[in-house]
Amino acid sequence: MRFTHSGPAPTDRHDWQTLRTLFPYLLQFKWRLGLALSCLILAKVATVTTPLYLKHVIDALSVPATLLAVPVAALAGYGLARLMSSLLAELRDAIFAKVIQGTVRTVARTVFEHLFRLSLRFHLSRQTGGMSRDIERGTRGIGFLLNFTVFNILPTLLEIAMVTGILLSRYQGWFAVATLGTIVVYIVFTLSVTEWRTVFRRSMNDLDSRANAKAIDALINFETVKYFNNEGYESRRYDRNLADWEASAVKNQVSLSLLNAGQGAIIAIGVTLVMSMAARGVVQHTMSVGDVVLVATYITQLYAPLNFLGFVYREMKHSLADMERMFTILSSEAEVTDRPDARVLTSRDIAVRFEAVDFGYDADRQILHQLSFEIPAGNTLAVVGASGAGKSTLARLLFRFYDPTAGRITFNGVDTRDLTQDSLRAHIGIVPQDTVLFNDSIYYNIAYGRHDASREEVIEAARSARIHEFVMSLPKGYDTQVGERGLKLSGGEKQRVAIARTLLKNPPILIFDEATSALDSHTEKAIQQELTEIATNRTTLMIAHRLSTIVDADQILVLDGGRVIEQGTHRELLAKAGRYAEMWRLQQEQRNDLSPVEMGQ
């Protein structure tokens, strides 16, 4: 199932499916859940018993003064019933708190972990702002649903059943019929109108997510917006989404007012009818004053939470809608999964082989065509070619972000699909062209390569990447915050952090994807020497644009349209006077055309 944030709000409902998805998470707290429900039942029994004691007190106090005596037992029972009702309710809340918060925590962690199991294709199509808002609302909806189901829905339904039984056993059946009839009409009206209103809330959620996604996207690309003077355009685009949200919000509020008015009218009619019957019973001497108080108290106890029940049900429907969007993420299947018998990769000497590999990100756009090559263990293979030739796709396939649509990739003769993803990725390190850092310290970003590394090892990796001196020149040194996506650092500084991070990981397979593209000529030359030393005795794939960085590679592939058109060493390819030789000639001319000042930049 694809998860998107575009298009109209869905109109189909999957409430039961949502509840079935939630139920297993509750079972981990089944003992607490059972204990909380026991306290709930006992508390409600005490609540329903309280008016009975109050009736006996009033009847005892309604006799002539000469017979007046304090009804000690009835008063004691009344006080004890109220005390138990309060204590058991608080005990229920305390016990159930762990169920609610534990469930929210487990679901949130499960969704977070599932997001990392989903394919790169999913993450390239998602919108971070909208998805984060859906997850936030979904986890909040779980807490609300559990809270009000256990604390309001179940107690109210239990109390309705108990009160109806008492009225049937003690008074004419019409009292129970009138009370229960009012409740049924109230519930049917609430359900009907709420179902009609739900589409407005779902539309609001969808529009809210879309507006938030647009806003986050614009803020992430702050510099681009400023470059093109598009602040006004982004503001208008955001406001258009807010205008649609405003229209849905107004419809939501108008329909809410209609619902509240109808509920109030139903309750008023029901209360008037029952109290009229009770008053007539007193006049006809078939009921005592205590009976009137008992009936009035029960009506008050029922209708007060019942009025709140309307709000609770509405919010429960909203919570289910919120949870449905979040659980949609869980229903998205991972494109790349481990086979049941997948093996753990343990070797440090790894030969990589592509065997007639076909691949395309979309069915109608194939990137690689019958691609075959080998990188012997400890050797370096460089890949060059024009943009769109499929160079960076090789790295994504090696990491198993995708699987080939045909052919296979092997490590030491074993298909990568027969290896666990964790062990495979633990053996590969990459320095990407576009380095993105976490919004944390420089130390954290380097140490991300290996969390158990000592501080000395982190600093040594920084030295090897030629960034230690720069870091120490900063006021806060390694504690310097790099900003969101590392925007406080220059492109070259970010790339050196990425190199240090990969060095710290110390993998047997290295991928350099334009690893020095953001560096000046002097720094590039120094780091290139480091990279050459690092690549010694490691299986290395170098994706390059600058041919001067790959002249020492054991083999060079020239890709064009996802196919190998030339292959050989630097000298062999120059001797062929083909595409590689032409690329080399053009880059040498460009280099010779640079002024001394430009070359030093």
Side-chain angles (χ1 to χ4, degrees):
M1 182 180 293
R2 296 293 300 274
F3 182 75
T4 61
H5 292 277
S6 60
T11 56
D12 56 325
R13 293 293 313 201
H14 304 95
D15 291 346
W16 288 112
Q17 181 179 345
T18 301
L19 291 174
R20 283 196 300 269
T21 305
L22 177 63
F23 189 69
Y25 296 100
L26 292 173
L27 289 182
Q28 63 180 321
F29 304 103
K30 54 187 175 183
W31 296 112
R32 280 183 172 268
L33 186 59
L35 188 57
L37 291 176
S38 299
C39 291
L40 182 154
I41 294 172
L42 293 174
K44 195 49 62 179
V45 169
T47 299
V48 172
T49 303
T50 302
L52 292 173
Y53 285 111
L54 181 61
K55 165 189 157 42
H56 292 312
V57 170
I58 292 175
D59 283 343
L61 296 176
S62 298
V63 299
T66 54
L67 301 177
L68 185 63
V70 177
V72 177
L75 285 171
Y78 175 79
L80 181 61
R82 289 190 65 88
L83 177 62
M84 292 304 296
S85 175
S86 176
L87 289 179
L88 288 169
E90 293 301 326
L91 181 60
R92 173 204 64 190
D93 293 359
I95 294 172
F96 201 66
K98 176 66 175 178
V99 179
I100 295 175
Q101 302 308 326
T103 300
V104 169
R105 173 189 172 188
T106 303
V107 172
R109 184 183 67 242
T110 301
V111 173
F112 185 74
E113 291 172 348
H114 185 71
L115 284 170
F116 282 103
R117 286 194 293 270
L118 294 178
S119 67
L120 181 62
R121 195 188 311 274
F122 172 91
H123 288 279
L124 291 177
S125 63
R126 66 170 165 79
Q127 290 183 296
T128 305
M131 187 175 67
S132 65
R133 183 66 65 90
D134 288 333
I135 296 174
E136 175 190 350
R137 281 199 305 256
T139 52
R140 189 172 60 238
I142 291 174
F144 191 96
L145 182 71
L146 295 178
N147 253 314
F148 286 94
T149 298
V150 174
F151 298 163
N152 293 92
I153 301 293
L154 293 181
T156 301
L157 294 178
L158 181 61
E159 187 171 0
I160 289 172
M162 295 173 67
V163 168
T164 301
I166 292 174
L167 292 178
L168 283 172
S169 64
R170 299 181 67 92
Y171 306 110
Q172 295 178 6
W174 290 111
F175 281 94
V177 170
T179 302
L180 195 58
T182 302
I183 293 172
V184 170
V185 172
Y186 180 94
I187 292 177
V188 170
F189 175 79
T190 300
L191 295 182
S192 301
V193 177
T194 301
E195 285 296 328
W196 167 63
R197 294 186 61 246
T198 300
V199 66
F200 299 132
R201 176 57 180 252
R202 291 170 65 83
S203 177
M204 285 175 60
N205 284 354
D206 186 70
L207 292 168
D208 179 50
S209 294
R210 287 164 57 187
N212 192 60
K214 298 293 185 186
I216 294 295
D217 197 34
L219 291 173
I220 288 176
N221 292 282
F222 171 83
E223 290 183 76
T224 304
V225 174
K226 302 294 286 186
Y227 288 152
F228 294 94
N229 293 334
N230 276 337
E231 298 92 335
Y233 169 75
E234 292 295 340
S235 177
R236 289 190 298 272
R237 190 168 68 143
Y238 180 53
D239 187 59
R240 282 196 297 271
N241 283 279
L242 289 180
D244 294 337
W245 175 86
E246 178 188 17
S248 289
V250 170
K251 292 177 182 177
N252 182 63
Q253 183 58 50
V254 171
S255 61
L256 174 61
S257 299
L258 176 62
L259 177 59
N260 288 338
Q263 290 172 333
I266 293 171
I267 290 177
I269 294 172
V271 170
T272 302
L273 178 61
V274 173
M275 291 305 297
S276 297
M277 293 167 59
R280 187 169 64 251
V282 173
V283 172
Q284 295 174 351
H285 302 291
T286 58
M287 296 178 65
S288 67
V289 175
D291 290 322
V292 175
V293 172
L294 178 66
V295 172
T297 303
Y298 277 146
I299 292 174
T300 303
Q301 285 185 187
L302 282 180
Y303 286 163
L306 193 62
N307 185 49
F308 190 57
L309 186 63
F311 162 77
V312 171
Y313 178 76
R314 292 193 304 270
E315 292 303 314
M316 284 178 61
K317 299 294 287 186
H318 298 162
S319 296
L320 285 168
D322 294 339
M323 290 162 57
E324 181 186 341
R325 291 189 69 96
M326 181 181 67
F327 284 143
T328 298
I329 299 174
L330 289 178
S331 68
S332 300
E333 297 182 1
E335 184 177 332
V336 177
T337 58
D338 286 343
R339 290 175 175 172
D341 57 347
R343 297 159 54 180
V344 176
L345 181 63
T346 57
S347 176
R348 294 287 301 180
D349 296 316
I350 301 173
V352 176
R353 185 177 179 85
F354 277 60
E355 300 178 2
V357 171
D358 285 345
F359 176 75
Y361 294 105
D362 297 304
D364 58 349
R365 180 171 172 255
Q366 189 166 336
I367 304 297
L368 302 179
H369 303 266
Q370 293 292 296
L371 186 64
S372 297
F373 63 84
E374 182 177 5
I375 314 176
N379 281 26
T380 297
L381 174 75
V383 179
V384 300
S387 297
K391 302 189 299 296
S392 295
T393 299
L394 302 179
R396 291 174 171 178
L397 289 173
L398 285 175
F399 270 99
R400 275 204 77 196
F401 292 159
Y402 305 95
D403 283 329
T405 53
R408 67 175 192 156
I409 302 170
T410 65
F411 284 7
N412 291 341
V414 179
D415 194 321
T416 54
R417 286 169 288 203
D418 293 324
L419 299 171
T420 63
Q421 295 177 68
D422 284 345
S423 67
L424 180 147
R425 291 168 186 161
H427 282 69
I428 308 175
I430 185 170
V431 180
Q433 178 180 7
D434 182 18
T435 299
V436 177
L437 303 181
F438 292 94
N439 189 4
D440 210 301
S441 66
I442 293 177
Y443 183 90
Y444 175 88
N445 278 281
I446 296 176
Y448 200 79
R450 182 157 54 89
H451 290 296
D452 59 352
S454 66
R455 187 173 183 86
E456 290 73 22
E457 290 175 313
V458 172
I459 293 176
E460 182 58 34
R463 290 184 189 275
S464 298
R466 305 296 175 92
I467 196 175
H468 175 72
E469 289 73 15
F470 162 73
V471 174
M472 296 308 296
S473 69
L474 299 172
K476 295 185 178 180
Y478 281 91
D479 294 327
T480 301
Q481 299 294 306
V482 303
E484 189 167 3
R485 297 173 63 84
L487 292 178
K488 290 185 179 180
L489 300 182
S490 70
E493 290 158 359
K494 286 197 298 182
Q495 209 148 25
R496 280 181 282 175
V497 169
I499 293 171
R501 183 164 59 190
T502 301
L503 294 177
L504 187 64
K505 184 178 181 181
N506 191 29
I509 301 176
L510 288 173
I511 301 174
F512 299 132
D513 188 357
E514 305 281 4
T516 59
S517 62
L519 304 178
D520 59 78
S521 300
H522 176 73
T523 306
E524 179 190 28
K525 184 175 181 180
I527 290 185
Q528 192 62 44
Q529 293 174 350
E530 288 288 344
L531 295 181
T532 301
E533 294 176 11
I534 294 163
T536 303
N537 299 323
R538 298 177 197 258
T539 306
T540 305
L541 174 66
M542 300 185 69
I543 299 169
H545 172 69
R546 297 180 187 175
L547 303 187
S548 59
T549 63
I550 61 168
V551 293
D552 295 324
D554 297 302
Q555 280 287 305
I556 300 173
L557 297 183
V558 181
L559 288 187
D560 184 30
R563 294 181 172 88
V564 177
I565 59 172
E566 290 181 359
Q567 181 173 353
T569 65
H570 174 68
R571 291 182 180 276
E572 291 171 348
L573 291 175
L574 288 181
K576 288 181 179 180
R579 179 72 60 84
Y580 181 86
E582 177 67 13
M583 294 168 61
W584 176 263
R585 183 183 63 78
L586 289 174
Q587 290 193 13
Q588 291 300 109
E589 289 178 357
Q590 291 173 358
R591 183 177 179 85
N592 293 334
D593 286 343
L594 291 175
S595 67
V597 174
E598 290 172 322
M599 292 183 64
Q601 288 179 346

